[in-house]
Amino acid sequence: GQGQVVQETVVSIVEFPPGAAAPWHMHPGAQELLHVIEGSLIVEIEGKGSTLLKSGEAGIIPAELVHLARNDSASALGKALVVHSRAAKDKPLIVVVKK
């Protein structure tokens, strides 16, 4: 969905307290790289299953795919460096998807 075009890169640090999850969402025209820097996180892509990423591991979510990240730990914080490479700055960065 991105066609190797990047107009903007957005970098953020996201913290997931124990048991927290992002809502199901997608990034129109933007791929996401999620690099776990503390704890572990589960990344689930609609129709493609889930992957456990531990500290030091990373995953790439292609543009347009509905997904979420969550921290299934009952006690440990999960923290990730998240990089969005946007092909079109005029599109919203994130669109929440009702499930």
Side-chain angles (χ1 to χ4, degrees):
Q2 190 168 348
Q4 298 182 358
V5 173
V6 177
Q7 287 187 349
E8 177 179 61
T9 300
V10 179
V11 180
S12 54
I13 300 287
V14 181
E15 293 186 350
F16 292 83
W24 284 101
H25 64 281
M26 65 173 290
H27 305 285
Q31 78 172 8
E32 177 178 329
L33 176 125
L34 186 142
H35 177 81
V36 179
I37 54 179
E38 186 176 330
S40 61
L41 296 171
I42 293 174
V43 174
E44 187 171 350
I45 299 175
E46 184 178 56
K48 298 191 183 288
S50 59
T51 302
L52 173 65
L53 297 175
K54 298 175 185 174
S55 184
E57 297 179 334
I60 295 178
I61 301 141
E64 316 296 335
L65 294 184
V66 176
H67 64 282
L68 62 72
R70 69 178 182 270
N71 179 1
D72 281 352
S73 173
S75 60
L77 176 72
K79 187 186 288 188
L81 172 72
V82 180
V83 180
H84 293 100
S85 298
R86 300 176 72 186
K89 293 192 303 185
D90 60 331
K91 293 182 179 180
L93 179 60
I94 185 170
V95 174
V96 175
V97 176
K98 301 277 186 196
K99 299 245 348 146

